[in-house]
Amino acid sequence: MNETHIVTIERHIIEEERKHPGARGAFSNILSDMALAAKVISREVNMAGLMDILGQAGHRNVQEEEVQKLDVFAQDVIYRAMDHTGHLCCMGSEEVEELLPIPEKFPAGDYVLLFDPLDGSSNIDVNVSIGTIFAIFRKVSGAERGALEDCIQPGRKQLAAGYVVYGSSTMMVYTTGNGVHGFTLDPSIGEFILSHPNIRIPEPPARSYSVNEAYYSRWSPPMQKLVDHLKGRDGSPGSGGFSSRYVGSLVADFHRTLLRGGLFMYPGDSVNPEGKLRLVYEANPLAFIAEQAGGRATDGEQEILDVQPQGLHQRTPLFIGARSLVDMAHEQLKGHGS
Ligand code: AHM
Ligand code: MG
């Protein structure tokens, strides 16, 4: 593909599909529908600062409609963009306890969509980047409208994964297992335009690490030792020379790590032994993208993509980013608990 051409995300998705003989278009349609939902959410996120003036969540806005909280709104937009298309058998969302059925009045399809509609939503009020994360699997159960086993497949089985970062610009990044591609939303024409083809995590990477260090005293000794090493406190070879970057918004922290390199960590600790992040909605899609970009993602014991989820909302420790840095962290933590 000629990079000097203007390529919309829809065009790119179709071109990617052509590389898979026998593809029937359903899968491409799901990705295009995700892009559409992302545009709607992006528009609303950009209006967030005006909420106080135009109406607050739980109140009525100027059009006399109930104003929703943005994470509820995002959840709704994605569900409504997807429920009637006949491509999905069910969905799962970080916002909803049980799996989300496709209404009986609509046809059911062969794919499953799992998503975190608006991650980092505590950052909305302070104008810090937030994001949407998603993964697509093929249905494996015999159930017409999907079953739990369709939603808790190991990440290795993902057909596609992506995220949208609502930052200084809105970007959608996705993979179908054929590299990682990034698109920037041009709000004036309402199109995601290919801006970052074939993203590779730089190696050698930026020497930067990203972790909520305020939890240091809750960490296991090996985890503390790892961060001491990054900070240059142990004086061993390779120790120090890092800077620290932590937004506290997973998509933003991951996006920087993907483009610049570095190491993102959300370990387990004495209060939350499995950490905070969700395996199915957050870790798996980002792990697929990281691997496709030449990076790595583990839970400190094994590759994230090889973990068999036990439940929809299971949490997992996460070490993700440039391969050389994840290798180093994994080496120090394996067998010790994260
Ligand atoms: P959320 O699902 O409530 O939005 O929380 C997820 C967010 C992630 O974006 C981020 O990586 C993490 O919480 C930050 O947590 P902490 O404040 O413990 O560092
Ligand atoms: Mg989340």
Side-chain angles (χ1 to χ4, degrees), residues 94 116 119-120 282:
E94 201 204 273
D116 182 353
D119 183 69
E282 297 171 325

Side-chain angles (χ1 to χ4, degrees), residues 71 94-95 116 118-123 129-131 133 211-215 218 246-254 264-266 269 272 276-278 282 315 318:
D71 41 9
E94 201 204 273
E95 287 287 323
D116 182 353
L118 208 55
D119 183 69
S121 47
S122 62
N123 285 320
S129 300
I130 47 183
I133 312 172
V211 68
N212 189 337
E213 232 173 310
Y215 301 147
R218 300 186 198 167
Y246 191 72
V247 176
S249 210
L250 176 63
V251 174
D253 280 315
F254 179 75
F264 174 89
M265 300 178 277
Y266 204 116
D269 61 39
N272 301 302
K276 178 180 185 188
L277 302 175
R278 318 281 179 144
E282 297 171 325
R315 295 177 198 270
L318 179 63

Side-chain angles (χ1 to χ4, degrees), residues 79-247:
Y79 185 76
R80 285 190 294 119
M82 301 286 176
D83 67 348
H84 59 283
T85 60
H87 302 313
L88 298 176
C89 60
C90 65
M91 295 181 243
S93 162
E94 201 204 273
E95 287 287 323
V96 181
E97 205 47 45
E98 305 295 329
L99 57 98
L100 289 159
I102 299 295
E104 290 291 336
K105 63 181 170 188
F106 299 128
D110 295 330
Y111 298 92
V112 181
L113 176 73
L114 299 163
F115 58 96
D116 182 353
L118 208 55
D119 183 69
S121 47
S122 62
N123 285 320
I124 296 170
D125 291 347
V126 286
N127 219 341
V128 168
S129 300
I130 47 183
T132 297
I133 312 172
F134 64 92
I136 302 171
F137 290 83
R138 193 182 298 281
K139 181 173 79 164
V140 287
S141 75
E144 192 208 351
R145 274 160 206 274
L148 183 61
E149 67 172 294
D150 296 312
C151 299
I152 56 169
Q153 301 180 54
R156 203 59 78 193
K157 302 268 186 203
Q158 287 171 106
L159 298 175
Y163 64 83
V164 185
V165 57
Y166 310 100
S168 47
S169 58
T170 294
M171 269 191 77
M172 181 159 160
V173 174
Y174 85 96
T175 183
T176 55
N178 188 23
V180 178
H181 311 283
F183 302 79
T184 302
L185 181 64
D186 180 340
S188 65
I189 55 169
E191 294 280 7
F192 279 106
I193 306 290
L194 181 62
S195 52
H196 296 64
N198 283 314
I199 299 172
R200 305 290 297 170
I201 301 182
E203 278 293 353
R207 287 176 75 78
S208 104
Y209 70 92
S210 187
V211 68
N212 189 337
E213 232 173 310
Y215 301 147
Y216 185 92
S217 62
R218 300 186 198 167
W219 292 341
S220 67
M223 181 63 204
Q224 291 178 332
K225 207 165 154 247
L226 169 63
V227 171
D228 288 345
H229 175 76
L230 298 172
K231 291 166 82 147
R233 294 185 66 176
D234 63 6
S236 66
S239 166
F242 281 80
S243 34
S244 145
R245 293 281 181 276
Y246 191 72
V247 176

Side-chain angles (χ1 to χ4, degrees), residues 50-69:
L50 296 169
M51 277 291 186
D52 285 348
I53 300 163
L54 302 179
Q56 282 172 325
H59 292 69
R60 295 192 165 267
N61 67 10
V62 282
Q63 283 95 34
E64 279 300 297
E65 297 156 340
E66 186 80 14
V67 178
Q68 289 177 312
K69 284 176 71 180

